[in-house]
Amino acid sequence: MFVVLLGPPGAGKGTQAQRLTTSTGLLHLSTGDMFRENVREGTELGTLAKSYMDRGELVPDEVTIKMLLERITRPDAAEGAMFDGFPRNVVQAAALDEALQGRGDSIDHALLIAVPDEELVARLGGRWLCRVCGAVYHELNDPPSRPGACDTCDGELYQRDDDRPDVVRTRLEKMKPPADLIDHYRDADVLREIDGERDLDSVTADLLEALR
Ligand code: ADP
Ligand code: ADP
Ligand code: ZN
């Protein structure tokens, strides 16, 4: 099964993907996590990606598509995956469709998590990530048991540079799923919209229901 999670920054894609992959066994693939890993490791791709990420802009399609398509050729993605943060436009969506078609697969579900802007700003401002395993927390809504440390792996928690209020506004404008991307999946009859402005468990339950 191949699933796409759509939604603006802060909608809860990463958080929900972690919950859903635990219960479904699907592989979680986040292009944002892949870029951040490259930045951390100081690769050429990381240096390039960082220059866009710091400004709250999309990394060029060519680079992003190449990285993602390479990733899904690995054996652990043979049975399916849950994409989080990809595709972000129709060019990326078409490239993914084509790659999946080439192996007899297709996107089974596109789940759009909808949350109003004011709520997104509050979520991103309080977001903390684990440096080691990438787990997502919120200082008020979903705090770790001990401040500054990851519940799962005890790793150090940090706040992303691009979650600063000045960058967040730009990101919300540039990173929202565009209308034609949503139409792409509506036309393919796989789109389902989920109300993301509720507690974490309710959103997870709706997403699981949509996957059934
Ligand atoms: P968020 O969790 O806030 O939605 P992500 O972690 O998905 O953000 O992405 C972080 C940054 O990585 C984006 O602002 C963008 O610069 C880059 N990025 C991630 N996914 C893509 C993509 N599919 N296409 C282009 N750039 C991307
Ligand atoms: P995305 O991957 O879509 O950018 P995240 O999963 O990183 O979003 O969530 C953004 C922030 O909002 C995180 O700090 C997370 O803990 C918090 N969050 C996610 N879902 C909810 C929710 N339903 N209610 C309250 N806070 C949430
Ligand atoms: Zn961790």
Side-chain angles (χ1 to χ4, degrees):
M1 178 161 70
F2 288 89
V3 181
V4 166
L5 288 183
L6 300 172
K13 302 182 297 296
T15 306
Q16 295 296 340
Q18 280 169 2
R19 292 167 156 238
L20 295 171
T21 49
T22 305
S23 51
T24 62
L26 278 175
L27 175 71
H28 174 201
L29 291 183
S30 155
T31 40
D33 285 350
M34 290 181 203
F35 285 134
R36 280 185 290 278
E37 202 174 301
N38 275 278
V39 171
R40 201 161 51 233
E41 289 170 358
T43 68
E44 204 174 311
L45 173 62
T47 309
L48 177 86
K50 190 173 190 314
S51 65
Y52 293 92
M53 294 166 82
D54 284 348
R55 282 180 280 137
E57 289 179 10
L58 286 179
V59 178
D61 286 341
E62 201 189 85
V63 176
T64 308
I65 290 169
K66 182 164 175 272
M67 174 180 75
L68 194 275
L69 295 192
E70 190 278 320
R71 180 64 186 85
I72 61 172
T73 61
R74 294 198 216 156
D76 58 354
E79 300 295 316
M82 177 168 291
F83 300 106
D84 154 20
F86 186 96
R88 274 191 151 99
N89 58 39
V90 283
V91 173
Q92 296 181 3
L96 179 59
D97 286 348
E98 197 189 318
L100 290 177
Q101 233 164 57
R103 52 197 254 187
D105 290 315
S106 60
I107 297 296
D108 300 288
H109 300 279
L111 308 177
L112 172 63
I113 308 179
V115 177
D117 281 5
E118 324 82 75
E119 169 71 9
L120 295 173
V121 174
R123 286 191 187 179
L124 295 171
R127 172 159 71 179
W128 288 79
L129 296 180
C130 174
R131 238 183 243 295
V132 180
C133 75
V136 189
Y137 299 90
H138 190 279
E139 55 193 27
L140 305 174
N141 306 340
D142 191 17
S145 316
R146 280 168 305 129
C150 178
D151 289 350
T152 320
C153 77
D154 208 36
E156 183 200 0
L157 304 186
Y158 74 103
Q159 290 194 284
R160 278 168 49 175
D161 285 344
D162 58 352
D163 278 346
R164 292 192 321 266
D166 52 327
V167 191
V168 159
R169 296 284 171 187
T170 322
R171 276 180 51 222
L172 286 183
E173 282 320 306
K174 297 202 173 165
M175 299 287 160
K176 269 186 197 158
D180 57 355
L181 177 64
I182 295 170
D183 288 341
H184 178 89
Y185 289 113
R186 188 178 287 121
D187 293 346
D189 214 19
V190 293
L191 183 74
R192 187 78 173 261
E193 187 167 337
I194 308 287
D195 177 4
E197 202 189 11
R198 290 168 311 138
D199 63 276
L200 288 159
D201 289 342
S202 306
V203 178
T204 307
D206 273 14
L207 290 166
L208 277 174
E209 165 63 30
L211 293 180
R212 222 166 266 139

